[in-house]
Amino acid sequence: MENSERVTPTEFGLKILQKLYPNIAPRAAPMQPHQTLLEEEKFSQQEIDDILKNIPNGKAPGDDGIDNIIVKVIFNSFLSLLLDFFNKFLELKCFPDPMEIRLVILFHKTGKDEQNNKSYRPISLLPTLGKLLEKLLLQRFNFRLKKKKLQHALQYGFREGKSADDVLLHVTSLLEQARRQKKHTVLISLDIAGAFNSLLYSSIRDRFASISLFSNISETLLDTLRNRKVAMQTSEGRSSGNTRGCPQG
C-alpha cells in the first residue's frame, strides 16, 4: 500500500480496512463477581416514535439497504412490529450480529495516489435498525448515568444539551477570569490520531464494570462490542474483517 504496489480490488479493500481499523488480540475479560441485574422495563412505542421523529429521511442506508423512510413506514403501519423486535433483544440481552456490520465507503482525496490508503477518507454506514436500537439503549443508559450523577461536569461530548459552544464559553470564562486577576494562562489542546478507530473494547468493559450499573440495558449495550465487523464493497466482491474501535459515519 505505502509503496504503491499493485493489488486486486479485493486485496486493496482488505488492506485498507486492516490499516484503518487494526485488529488486535482481545484481552481476556476479568472474572466479575456475581451481580444482580436490574431489569428495566421494556421499550415503549413512545420512545421509538420520539427517536423516529428526529431522524432525517435522506441518510444513506447500511449493509441491509433499509433506510429511515422504510423504517418509519413499518413503524406507522405495524405499530407493534418494531416494538416487539427491539424488546426481544432487550429480553435476550444481545445485539444482533447483522446489525454489527459497518459498510465502509472511501472518498478519494483529489490529486492523491490511488494506491495509497492515506489518499482516502473513510465513512461507515450502519444498519438503520441497529442505529435505532443503539439510540434506544443509549437513551436509557444516559438517563441512568444522569440520575446517578456519574457524568463529569466538564464532559461536553456525547451529551444531550451540550455542544462545542459550551466548551468555548467555559474556556473563555476561565481566560477572562485569569485576565482580571492578571495571571498567565496556558491552554493545552490534545488531538489523538485515530482515537475512535483505535479504542479498545476492554477499556469500555472495564469502565462499565467500574460504575456498577448492571442491567439488561447495560448488558445489551456491551453485547454491541462482541462481534463488530467492517466491510467494503469492491468490483470483485466484498472485503471484510473484524475491528476494534468505533468506525465513524
Side-chain angles (χ1 to χ4, degrees):
M1 298 292 292
E2 300 294 342
N3 58 4
S4 299
E5 63 185 39
R6 294 294 170 179
V7 295
T8 67
T10 302
E11 291 173 333
F12 177 80
L14 182 58
K15 287 186 177 182
I16 202 168
L17 288 178
Q18 291 172 341
K19 183 70 175 180
L20 292 170
Y21 312 111
N23 189 27
I24 61 172
R27 191 191 71 188
M31 294 296 294
Q32 298 290 341
H34 176 72
Q35 298 288 343
T36 301
L37 287 180
L38 170 66
E39 290 290 336
E40 293 199 22
E41 63 185 31
K42 294 180 178 181
F43 297 125
S44 67
Q45 287 186 344
Q46 187 62 52
E47 286 177 286
I48 299 177
D49 187 48
D50 289 343
I51 292 175
L52 288 177
K53 285 178 180 177
N54 292 306
I55 60 175
N57 290 334
K59 291 289 186 178
D63 187 60
D64 56 10
I66 300 174
D67 61 21
N68 291 339
I69 296 177
I70 295 176
V71 173
K72 290 179 180 181
V73 169
I74 293 174
F75 179 71
N76 292 326
S77 302
F78 308 96
L79 290 179
S80 65
L81 184 60
L82 287 181
L83 183 63
D84 293 342
F85 181 68
F86 292 134
N87 277 325
K88 175 55 68 173
F89 296 121
L90 184 61
E91 176 187 337
L92 297 173
K93 304 178 186 64
C94 75
F95 201 92
D97 288 351
M99 296 184 191
E100 299 276 24
I101 300 174
R102 272 67 175 158
L103 186 62
V104 176
I105 308 296
L106 299 179
F107 288 88
H108 180 246
K109 299 176 182 177
T110 304
K112 300 293 185 179
D113 179 11
E114 293 185 359
Q115 290 296 313
N116 192 317
N117 60 70
K118 294 182 179 179
S119 301
Y120 296 87
R121 181 175 67 86
I123 66 167
S124 60
L125 303 178
L126 286 69
T128 300
L129 290 173
K131 288 193 291 186
L132 183 52
L133 179 54
E134 283 187 3
K135 286 180 181 294
L136 287 167
L137 293 167
L138 286 172
Q139 189 169 265
R140 289 281 193 91
F141 189 70
N142 285 330
F143 173 78
R144 186 68 58 181
L145 288 177
K146 185 176 181 180
K147 185 177 181 180
K148 297 289 186 180
K149 301 186 185 305
L150 293 172
Q151 293 172 310
H152 197 285
L154 297 181
Q155 178 187 337
Y156 295 99
F158 310 103
R159 290 186 64 181
E160 185 177 358
K162 300 286 187 178
S163 69
D165 292 340
D166 296 298
V167 180
L168 293 174
L169 180 61
H170 180 69
V171 171
T172 53
S173 65
L174 292 177
L175 292 173
E176 179 60 26
Q177 179 182 346
R179 187 188 66 81
R180 289 196 303 267
Q181 297 175 356
K182 301 185 184 303
K183 293 181 178 180
H184 295 289
T185 305
V186 176
L187 177 64
I188 300 176
S189 177
L190 300 179
D191 183 10
I192 303 175
F196 284 101
N197 297 341
S198 304
L199 186 63
L200 296 177
Y201 294 158
S202 58
S203 298
I204 301 176
R205 294 189 183 97
D206 289 346
R207 183 56 180 153
F208 264 70
S210 70
I211 60 178
S212 299
L213 288 181
F214 300 99
S215 70
N216 51 347
I217 295 292
S218 65
E219 290 299 298
T220 310
L221 265 178
L222 281 173
D223 197 59
T224 65
L225 307 178
R226 175 178 49 83
N227 196 28
R228 287 198 168 197
K229 295 182 182 297
V230 287
M232 183 187 300
Q233 195 66 38
T234 73
S235 59
E236 292 185 341
R238 169 172 292 195
S239 295
S240 61
N242 297 322
T243 182
R244 64 176 175 177
C246 302
Q248 297 299 287

